[in-house]
Amino acid sequence: MRDINIMDWFGFDSSVESRYAMIRHVGFNGIQMCRFSDFDNEEFNLRPAIAKRHFLKIENIHAPFRDVNTLWLSGVAGDNYANLLYQCAEFCAENEIPAVVIHLSNGCPPPEKTMLGWQRLEKIIRAAYRLGVRFLAENLCSEDSGIKMFLALFAEYDAGFCYDTGHAHLYTPGYDWIDHFGNKLGALHISDNDGKTDSHSLPFDGNVSWEPLRRIFSEHKNLALSLEVNLKSYGNHFKDDFAFLEEAYKRAKHLENLLSNQGNDV
């Protein structure tokens, strides 16, 4: 049976303990761990143990991306960001987490990719591969966002692709990411939007076409259906995080059922 997972931060500031308990209680099998900044945070370092206590699998961690553009520039800031990515790999290896999801840029249009940046990434991804950790790059705001080069340069280290449904719909409508990179797919970020803002809405609250997911699920039987959704766009619609999680799981199951029925239009 396919796992149904969710990003572990979705807009509420409840404690990790209570959040993970609720995630498991409503039915989710696992989480993707979201990290915003550095790793000098005791709470973040405790998350794998808390997840284990609540019988949640950890599919991957999402690396910080605020300063990712420095990766392509000379200087200490770029070196520091590269070191942060390596810390992600070490953290995954220590906690038996199989993958790190990264952005190759932050903002639109994306910055020019440089040899220095690719060299930094090569060292990190090669080291991660030796640790048993896979790096996955996420589609962002343009078709030429570095994904093709990333996958070509680091193929020997099993570099992969994370498909974000919301980004695809908002930034690159009509571009078939799955046709181009589906054979390298390693994770999903599933959310909906109206084609105007990256709202990270629940499935069926926007106008994203789910047809690409039907193709994905027919070819990747063990790939988790993973939500990356956010409460912030809903105002006071949900009374608390538990109500939001309950609805999120219902939407995920409905999407799974639609995708498993070849006769349904999605």
Side-chain angles (χ1 to χ4, degrees):
M1 183 175 293
R2 190 182 305 278
D3 283 344
I4 298 180
N5 300 338
I6 191 168
M7 190 72 72
D8 70 346
W9 189 88
F10 41 85
F12 265 103
D13 294 323
S14 52
S15 71
V16 175
E17 187 77 48
S18 63
R19 197 186 321 155
Y20 283 15
M22 288 184 287
I23 287 172
R24 187 69 186 113
H25 182 77
V26 301
F28 288 102
N29 304 107
I31 56 172
Q32 297 183 346
M33 289 178 60
C34 184
R35 183 62 189 171
F36 291 114
S37 56
D38 60 34
F39 279 73
D40 298 325
N41 185 298
E42 182 179 359
E43 178 260 16
F44 182 83
N45 293 330
L46 290 174
R47 287 192 207 179
I50 298 172
K52 185 176 182 179
R53 188 156 62 244
H54 292 289
F55 305 99
L56 288 169
K57 303 173 186 177
I58 304 178
E59 182 185 353
N60 55 57
I61 69 171
H62 195 311
F65 58 87
R66 183 188 61 188
D67 298 323
V68 62
N69 291 347
T70 65
L71 185 69
W72 308 102
L73 305 174
S74 61
V76 173
D79 294 337
N80 289 341
Y81 185 77
N83 185 58
L84 181 57
L85 291 183
Y86 180 70
Q87 290 179 47
C88 290
E90 284 189 316
F91 182 86
C92 284
E94 291 166 1
N95 293 283
E96 300 181 323
I97 302 169
V100 179
V101 175
I102 64 171
H103 289 194
L104 293 176
S105 60
N106 184 17
C108 301
E112 181 182 355
K113 307 301 186 291
T114 64
M115 182 62 70
L116 174 61
W118 292 123
Q119 289 171 341
R120 285 169 169 155
L121 281 174
E122 197 274 337
K123 292 178 182 178
I124 297 161
I125 295 171
R126 181 181 69 235
Y129 179 73
R130 291 172 177 169
L131 293 172
V133 177
R134 189 183 191 195
F135 266 67
L136 311 172
E138 180 178 344
N139 58 299
L140 298 170
C141 63
S142 73
E143 299 166 15
D144 185 23
S145 57
I147 300 288
K148 184 176 181 179
M149 181 66 76
F150 173 86
L151 295 174
L153 286 176
F154 309 130
E156 64 181 299
Y157 307 127
D158 197 28
F161 172 52
C162 173
Y163 178 60
D164 188 301
T165 62
H167 291 169
H169 181 57
L170 178 62
Y171 299 120
T172 55
Y175 185 75
D176 195 333
W177 289 96
I178 306 310
D179 183 59
H180 286 85
F181 308 118
N183 64 321
K184 295 291 186 178
L185 193 64
L188 297 170
H189 285 172
I190 297 174
S191 68
D192 209 339
N193 63 58
D194 60 3
K196 299 176 182 178
T197 59
D198 191 17
S199 58
H200 290 88
S201 301
L202 295 171
F204 311 108
D205 281 347
N207 49 25
V208 166
S209 169
W210 305 112
E211 192 59 40
L213 292 187
R214 193 196 299 279
R215 292 164 52 201
I216 289 170
F217 287 165
S218 69
E219 298 169 6
H220 299 268
K221 303 298 184 182
N222 297 318
L223 189 67
L225 191 164
S226 297
L227 300 184
E228 187 191 28
V229 291
N230 196 312
L231 178 72
K232 296 297 186 182
S233 63
Y234 289 94
N236 296 321
H237 181 76
F238 294 98
K239 65 178 181 179
D240 54 29
D241 40 0
F242 186 79
F244 179 74
L245 285 170
E246 277 193 312
E247 186 62 26
Y249 185 72
K250 290 178 183 177
R251 302 289 184 94
K253 287 297 293 184
H254 182 49
L255 180 59
E256 180 187 39
N257 291 336
L258 281 178
L259 296 171
S260 65
N261 186 337
Q262 296 297 319
N264 283 334
D265 181 10
V266 293

